[in-house]
Amino acid sequence: MLPDLDTTRRMLQSHQTSAPQEMERAIAAAQSTACRHAFVRTGFDEARSQAANPSLQHLPLAGLAVSVKDLFDLQGQPTPAGSVVLADAPAASADCPAVARLRAAGGAVIGRTNMTEFAFSGVGVNPHHGTPAAHDGRFGTLVGPARVPGGSSSGAAVSVATGAAFVGLGSDTGGSIRIPAALNGVVGFKNTARLVPTQGALPLSTTLDTVCATTRSVRDAIVVHEVLAQRRVARSTAPLPALRLAVPTTVILDGLDARVAQAFERTLAQLRQAGAQIAEIDLPAMRQQPAYGFSAPESYAWHRELLQRAGERYDPRVRKRIEAGATLRAWEYIDLLRSRQQWIADMQACMAPYDALLSPTVPIAAPTIASLAPADGQDAAMDAARDAEFFRVNALLLRNTSAVNLLDGCALSLPCHTAGELPVGLMVWHAALHDDTVLHVGLQIEELLQKQ
């Protein structure tokens, strides 16, 4: 198991290691076969220089390696967002606020990470730059045969799981931090969207986009959230038995993969044995989510001119989803905004009695990369079958996580599998601005699971 940021900082303070030594370990991991396709651009020399700066070592990120998803502005570099269409775009004139905050806190940027093109998929496949294979960050093993890493922040999670970064800056519009965290055995925290600025990040949905990060532990997630949101997380001393927890049974538990169901039920049993009070509740609003989504129409508004100029260079699966947004009429979009607010109110009424809700982050274990390979144009029937399977899996991966985005909520995914099992994520979640409670519940659960 890789040491987390908290452990490594304590090792730095006791002179058991140094930031330059840790940076060399991170660079070696980034160059290893385990991290293949995780980065689209690296900056090892700059990262070494930052790690060698002694003034950073007393800061929260202590001169240690952080990775940056390819949709964030880094000064002097274009922001391609996993595409080839924007590879030659003008360089950013400044770091985006999220990157600037990580640097100010002592983060050393090791490189830009791979992602689903334009962040529009929960699978993590990228036909332009290759697809990184999932890696179990909890137990330090490759998840073989090569399985999808989840998306869209695929490289961010793989960089953390393999030891190439302590922090993977990413985004979450429908689950893009939590899905890859779950499939890579690491932690992903989706904060309430309004808490971290999205400026300087290429948008998918201006309504739902959230800037957040992947880490190796919940305690690290707290530190990184404090950096990104520039706020202090309120610490609680409430023990696990004092917390009111609920498992929603509506939709979220439907069709669970046997491996996911086993890990989830085992975790609930461990929590109950430790004294946790867990109620099973119905969330009828889960069956009544608005029929349309925000990502397609809002992404189409951004992409429509670029699609006209260079649509043939897009990933066809991504292009198909973006172009679907062209069909939504203005009155339907206005109705969508209105119905979302009513849906949020309905959900919050059911959730109000509880400190946090518990669910599987995703209902299935990671499929193999080969099973979701892009169409090759050789056989129309085979290509159609591959695309159908891709979109089926994509919808499943997004099902549980996207409800939190629609809710304008916050959620944490932490690993709950054991050695020898495929990675499985436990999602702890609630409505907007319950971030501190969600993090506290997650910290209590993490500490319990680490004792097992």
Side-chain angles (χ1 to χ4, degrees):
M1 182 176 179
L2 293 167
D4 65 358
L5 173 67
D6 180 81
T7 300
T8 304
R9 285 184 62 198
R10 285 189 274 111
M11 292 172 63
L12 290 172
Q13 291 163 3
S14 61
H15 305 290
Q16 297 176 63
T17 187
S18 68
Q21 285 178 298
E22 293 301 320
M23 183 56 66
E24 291 307 319
R25 291 190 182 98
I27 291 171
Q31 293 176 321
S32 71
T33 56
C35 222
R36 185 168 178 257
H37 300 313
F39 288 89
V40 294
R41 181 170 180 163
T42 53
F44 298 150
D45 290 342
E46 181 184 3
R48 286 187 174 106
S49 177
Q50 292 172 315
N53 184 348
S55 68
L56 301 183
Q57 294 172 23
H58 301 291
L59 297 173
L61 303 184
L64 299 172
V66 303
S67 67
V68 175
K69 187 176 181 178
D70 198 36
L71 57 68
F72 291 101
D73 284 350
L74 285 170
Q75 185 177 21
Q77 299 179 15
T79 307
S83 75
V84 293
V85 180
L86 296 178
D88 299 323
S93 59
D95 288 340
C96 70
V99 171
R101 291 177 182 185
L102 290 175
R103 290 195 201 271
V109 176
I110 193 171
R112 305 179 71 97
T113 51
N114 198 359
M115 56 180 284
T116 302
E117 183 186 57
F118 297 122
F120 213 159
S121 163
V123 177
V125 172
N126 188 305
H128 308 302
H129 303 302
T131 300
H135 195 94
D136 185 352
R138 187 177 189 190
F139 296 104
T141 58
L142 183 68
V143 181
R147 295 179 181 271
V148 297
S152 64
S153 306
S154 54
V158 173
S159 73
V160 172
T162 57
F166 286 89
V167 179
L169 180 65
S171 62
D172 192 309
T173 304
S176 288
I177 274 287
R178 290 161 289 149
I179 296 168
L183 300 189
N184 285 275
V186 292
V187 171
F189 177 54
K190 181 239 177 284
N191 47 264
T192 302
R194 73 196 75 163
L195 295 181
V196 181
T198 58
Q199 289 90 346
L202 196 147
L204 173 58
S205 165
T206 52
T207 298
L208 304 177
D209 289 346
T210 307
V211 174
C212 44
T214 304
T215 58
R216 294 180 194 164
S217 67
V218 178
R219 59 189 179 185
D220 286 2
I222 293 172
V223 171
V224 175
H225 174 64
E226 290 184 332
V227 169
L228 290 174
Q230 293 190 336
R231 60 180 293 269
R232 294 290 295 173
V233 171
R235 300 312 204 263
S236 170
T237 58
L240 199 57
L243 300 170
R244 300 161 300 170
L245 306 177
V247 173
T249 60
T250 314
V251 177
I252 289 175
L253 301 182
D254 291 353
L256 295 185
D257 180 299
R259 293 163 291 191
V260 174
Q262 179 184 30
F264 182 62
E265 291 299 329
R266 180 180 62 232
T267 301
L268 294 182
Q270 291 170 330
L271 292 174
R272 290 189 172 106
Q273 187 175 8
Q277 302 300 309
I278 305 174
E280 292 190 352
I281 64 170
D282 186 28
L283 278 181
M286 283 297 297
R287 299 190 189 93
Q288 300 154 4
Q289 295 183 53
Y292 303 106
F294 289 95
S295 294
E298 291 180 348
S299 64
Y300 182 76
W302 193 94
H303 283 274
R304 64 186 186 279
E305 293 182 2
L306 189 59
L307 282 167
Q308 291 175 358
R309 296 198 311 269
E312 73 285 351
R313 300 178 66 194
Y314 279 60
D315 175 351
R317 290 168 173 171
V318 170
R319 178 179 179 178
K320 180 178 181 179
R321 298 187 75 196
I322 294 174
E323 289 182 333
T327 64
L328 193 69
R329 291 165 288 189
W331 66 264
E332 291 173 317
Y333 183 78
I334 293 169
D335 279 355
L336 175 61
L337 292 169
R338 186 183 301 113
S339 63
R340 182 197 185 202
Q341 293 309 310
Q342 182 58 55
W343 186 82
I344 289 174
D346 294 342
M347 287 282 285
Q348 288 179 335
C350 294
M351 298 164 64
Y354 304 100
D355 293 303
L357 280 67
L358 306 178
S359 309
T361 307
V362 295
I364 58 173
T368 64
I369 294 175
S371 70
L372 301 176
D376 58 16
Q378 301 299 309
D379 184 318
M382 180 68 72
D383 289 349
R386 286 178 176 176
D387 283 349
E389 177 63 6
F390 173 87
F391 287 115
R392 183 190 73 83
V393 168
N394 185 60
L396 276 174
L397 290 173
L398 288 162
R399 186 191 70 193
N400 292 358
T401 56
S402 61
V404 179
N405 298 80
L406 188 63
L407 181 66
D408 188 28
C410 52
L412 178 80
S413 179
L414 67 155
C416 65
H417 61 291
T418 59
E421 297 177 342
L422 290 177
V424 174
L426 172 71
M427 187 165 69
V428 183
W429 56 288
H430 211 291
L433 302 179
H434 284 68
D435 302 69
D436 296 2
T437 302
V438 163
L439 287 166
H440 173 66
V441 173
L443 193 62
Q444 295 290 306
I445 294 173
E446 179 178 71
E447 290 175 355
L448 174 66
L449 295 182
Q450 287 176 347
K451 295 176 184 176
Q452 303 297 321

Coordinates of all heavy atoms in Angstrom, one line a residue, residues 149 213 264 338 385 449:
P149 N -10.3 2.4 -16.7 CA -10.0 3.2 -15.5 C -11.1 4.0 -15.0 O -11.0 4.6 -13.9 CB -8.8 4.1 -15.9 CG -9.2 4.4 -17.4 CD -9.8 3.1 -17.9
A213 N -10.7 16.5 -6.6 CA -9.4 15.8 -6.7 C -9.5 14.4 -6.2 O -10.4 14.0 -5.5 CB -8.3 16.5 -5.9
F264 N -20.1 -4.3 -0.8 CA -20.9 -3.4 -0.2 C -21.6 -4.0 1.1 O -21.6 -3.3 2.2 CB -22.0 -2.9 -1.2 CG -22.9 -1.8 -0.6 CD1 -22.4 -0.6 -0.2 CD2 -24.3 -2.1 -0.6 CE1 -23.3 0.4 0.2 CE2 -25.2 -1.1 -0.1 CZ -24.7 0.1 0.3
R338 N -36.3 24.2 -14.0 CA -37.4 24.3 -13.0 C -37.6 22.9 -12.4 O -37.8 22.8 -11.1 CB -38.7 24.7 -13.7 CG -39.8 25.0 -12.7 CD -41.1 25.4 -13.4 NE -40.9 26.6 -14.2 CZ -40.9 26.7 -15.6 NH1 -41.1 25.6 -16.3 NH2 -40.7 27.8 -16.2
A385 N -22.5 -3.2 -32.3 CA -22.6 -4.0 -31.1 C -21.6 -3.4 -30.0 O -21.9 -3.3 -28.9 CB -22.3 -5.4 -31.3
L449 N -12.3 0.5 8.3 CA -11.9 -0.5 7.3 C -10.5 -0.8 7.4 O -10.0 -1.9 7.1 CB -12.4 0.0 5.9 CG -13.9 0.1 5.7 CD1 -14.1 0.6 4.3 CD2 -14.6 -1.1 6.0

